[in-house]
Amino acid sequence: MRVRIEVATAATELAWANVLAPGRSLAYDLLAREAPDLGRQFHAQGAGPYGMVPLGHSAPVFPQARRRRGAYALGGRGWVELGSPLFEVTAALAQGIKRRELLDWGGAALRILSVAPVEPPSYASGRGRFRTLTPVVMKGTGREESGQRTTRQAWLLPTDTEFPVFFQRNLRRKAETLGLDPEVSLTEISWIGAKRSFAVGQGAKPGAPVEVELTGPPDTLRAIWSWGLGQANAAGFGWVAA
């Protein structure tokens, strides 16, 4: 499930460095106030056998904003989404947001107009297309075909040979983290967007938006929709379009 926050702003732009970075801090601040035990667990050790954090968020989206070279365009009415496959997490996020009138997103004041839950698609057929609004990031082995390691910052792009293997592994680990059926599969990468890097902590993480087709149990597909694709979802990467 997701929480959609309808917002309005008089600001006209964000620096690219502030497009994703504020979301993680916002989510953890909301959890610290509304569900402190969960917040501490996620921050210290994550969840499940892999220490993953079942939390994600979008970038701010302002459909009518006028594009500006070198900056991320804001203006008028838009929205931001937070989400998690765990009901107790989204409930805490929604409760915390409803107590606020403004969001400070990288120096831009976003006035909160409304807060509403967004349910995932049913995926009753066991198949679904997922297109991301933000880049998907994924790390590989950093090794060549010979087995020799060439880098420790082994960020993969969707065009890289290793990408489908590690993407598939990530999907299954997410299902196992949540106690869901892990028989979920990547069947097609149907679109790849432009490469972009965002710095959300130590160093920049490069990736690209994608559209993929997944097959699997409906409950697992719904959880992935609520969480995001790839790694670093709590930092805003891999957010799936509604």
Side-chain angles (χ1 to χ4, degrees):
M1 182 180 288
R2 300 177 177 182
V3 178
R4 174 169 281 212
I5 310 159
E6 301 285 345
V7 295
T9 186
T12 58
E13 62 181 43
L14 273 178
W16 281 102
N18 293 327
V19 173
L20 291 184
R24 184 177 185 275
S25 297
L26 170 63
Y28 273 105
D29 183 61
L30 294 170
L31 290 178
R33 296 169 186 271
E34 304 295 334
D37 290 343
L38 269 175
R40 282 192 292 269
Q41 177 189 345
F42 286 177
H43 191 268
Q45 64 194 46
Y50 307 110
M52 304 179 86
V53 179
L55 180 66
H57 67 83
S58 72
V61 177
F62 288 84
Q64 304 304 317
R66 186 174 181 179
R67 293 188 178 184
R68 294 170 177 267
R69 184 180 297 274
Y72 186 85
L74 305 181
R77 296 173 67 107
W79 52 266
V80 177
E81 288 184 333
L82 305 172
S84 172
L86 300 177
F87 175 78
E88 60 268 32
V89 175
T90 53
L93 296 174
Q95 178 81 0
I97 286 293
K98 288 177 181 178
R99 300 182 192 277
R100 303 189 178 198
E101 296 182 357
L102 289 173
L103 299 180
D104 179 352
W105 197 282
L110 310 183
R111 181 165 56 90
I112 297 172
L113 304 177
S114 65
V115 182
V118 182
E119 297 283 351
S122 68
Y123 298 116
S125 68
R127 183 180 299 272
R129 286 196 176 270
F130 296 68
R131 189 179 182 112
T132 65
L133 293 174
T134 58
V136 173
V137 297
M138 184 66 55
K139 266 194 173 182
T141 62
R143 298 181 185 274
E144 295 179 332
E145 292 183 5
S146 65
Q148 181 179 358
R149 182 181 292 277
T150 59
T151 178
R152 293 189 179 276
Q153 295 298 317
W155 296 108
L156 299 172
L157 292 177
T159 51
D160 291 332
T161 303
E162 284 189 330
F163 183 89
V165 175
F166 283 85
F167 185 88
Q168 174 82 53
R169 184 180 301 174
N170 177 267
L171 293 173
R172 297 195 174 193
R173 286 185 171 187
K174 283 176 173 169
E176 291 169 1
T177 293
L178 300 169
L180 298 173
D181 188 336
E183 292 303 312
V184 56
S185 298
L186 169 66
T187 58
E188 182 186 10
I189 300 176
S190 53
W191 172 81
I192 300 172
K195 176 185 175 182
R196 184 170 288 280
S197 297
F198 286 99
V200 293
Q202 294 183 346
K205 293 178 171 61
V210 299
E211 181 181 83
V212 299
E213 183 177 274
L214 306 180
T215 58
D219 283 350
T220 304
L221 296 180
R222 286 194 289 269
I224 290 167
W225 180 91
S226 299
W227 189 342
L229 301 182
Q231 298 174 337
N233 304 123
F237 292 98
W239 189 252
V240 178

